[in-house]
Amino acid sequence: MSRCAACGRPLHRPSPSGLCPVCARRLQPTPARPRTIRAAEPAVEHCDGQTALDLEPMQPSLWAL
């Protein structure tokens, strides 16, 4: 029975790389998933007679003062 080249565990199914499944996952991590960005929903519904303004990413507000 062959053994893993990295940790020495016995290999039940020999692999071409010579690594056990645990060492293969450790040495080749899965790629990071892309993050999805959701559109911001307005906190308050639109009221008649008022104009909704789009907020810019770094726009100062009263909370920032």
Side-chain angles (χ1 to χ4, degrees), residues 30-46:
T30 58
R33 293 185 300 183
R35 295 180 59 188
T36 57
I37 300 173
R38 296 182 182 176
E41 296 180 12
V44 180
E45 293 182 20
H46 179 72

Side-chain angles (χ1 to χ4, degrees), residues 18-63:
L19 299 174
C20 66
V22 174
C23 292
R25 278 193 302 266
R26 187 183 70 215
L27 294 175
Q28 302 221 351
T30 58
R33 293 185 300 183
R35 295 180 59 188
T36 57
I37 300 173
R38 296 182 182 176
E41 296 180 12
V44 180
E45 293 182 20
H46 179 72
C47 298
D48 292 334
Q50 294 184 348
T51 304
L53 299 175
D54 293 330
L55 295 177
E56 297 300 321
M58 296 299 290
Q59 180 178 359
S61 66
L62 290 176
W63 293 104

Side-chain angles (χ1 to χ4, degrees), residues 3-28:
R3 296 197 166 270
C4 174
C7 67
R9 288 185 179 120
L11 294 177
H12 299 287
R13 295 185 199 143
S15 66
S17 64
L19 299 174
C20 66
V22 174
C23 292
R25 278 193 302 266
R26 187 183 70 215
L27 294 175
Q28 302 221 351

